[in-house]
Amino acid sequence: MPTPGASESRVNETSTPNHARSRRPSSAAGRADADRGSMRHRLRIHARHRRYIVRRNPKWHGIYRIAVGTIGTIVLLCGIVAIPYPGPGWLIVFLGLGILASEFAWAHRLLKFARSKYDAWMEWMGHQHWSVQAIFWLGTCAIVIATLWLLGALHTVAGWVGLDYGWLASPVFG
């Protein structure tokens, strides 16, 4: 039977030695990563502290919620408009919902729901035959061309190259 002090000084064979458990990385690159992680941690703590101060003051809290709601809604609407176009439409939608979710519980629930449905849609689309995928992409192209026609972009570009077709003019802005 070991003495009471002996178990404290002895390292168990199954446990990690104390020097391996140190939080300090041994390499310069590891130290840089730890410093960046430490900086991120400090910034996160600072941001939480500022947010706590805003929450304590009802006036500032209301102004903050209105600002987050306004900015999040604008970003969300821009993302919804950008969905059918080439580029990060869904990313902008999720960014707008993320901004709103930082302050509103309903937006957090909607973000989780939308992400799960988007992931399911992309998985389903990935399992489809190439012809189904081609029909989807042709439909997307049709939406983009119709929108460009409605906005008058097709007539403008045709004018740049010397084409003057009346049917390219926008019925909305023509």
Side-chain angles (χ1 to χ4, degrees):
M1 181 153 163
T3 60
S7 64
E8 294 173 25
S9 63
R10 204 172 35 159
V11 175
N12 187 351
E13 292 82 29
T14 60
S15 70
T16 308
N18 286 336
H19 62 82
R21 281 188 256 159
S22 172
R23 301 197 98 176
R24 294 180 185 215
S26 59
S27 68
R31 282 192 300 275
D33 287 342
D35 290 343
R36 274 186 254 131
S38 170
M39 177 63 104
R40 274 189 239 125
H41 180 71
R42 283 185 298 217
L43 288 174
R44 192 176 307 129
I45 297 292
H46 185 66
R48 284 183 186 158
H49 179 69
R50 283 184 292 159
R51 184 66 189 108
Y52 175 73
I53 290 170
V54 168
R55 277 199 178 128
R56 284 191 349 209
N57 185 337
K59 176 184 170 188
W60 285 110
H61 181 63
I63 291 170
Y64 180 81
R65 285 178 62 94
I66 290 170
V68 167
T70 303
I71 292 168
T73 302
I74 290 170
V75 172
L76 177 64
L77 292 175
C78 290
I80 289 171
V81 169
I83 286 173
Y85 297 100
W90 281 108
L91 179 65
I92 298 169
V93 167
F94 293 137
L95 178 64
L97 282 174
I99 292 169
L100 290 169
S102 71
E103 197 59 36
F104 303 103
W106 62 266
H108 183 70
R109 289 189 303 271
L110 182 60
L111 176 62
K112 286 174 60 174
F113 175 78
R115 285 179 61 183
S116 69
K117 294 303 177 188
Y118 176 79
D119 291 341
W121 166 258
M122 292 307 289
E123 184 178 338
W124 178 83
M125 185 59 79
H127 293 302
Q128 298 307 306
H129 189 265
W130 67 267
S131 60
V132 175
Q133 292 180 6
I135 290 170
F136 170 75
W137 289 112
L138 286 173
T140 301
C141 288
I143 291 171
V144 170
I145 290 170
T147 307
L148 292 174
W149 174 66
L150 287 172
L151 294 174
L154 296 179
H155 189 261
T156 302
V157 172
W160 292 345
V161 294
L163 301 175
D164 190 24
Y165 296 117
W167 58 272
L168 288 176
S170 169
V172 178
F173 298 110

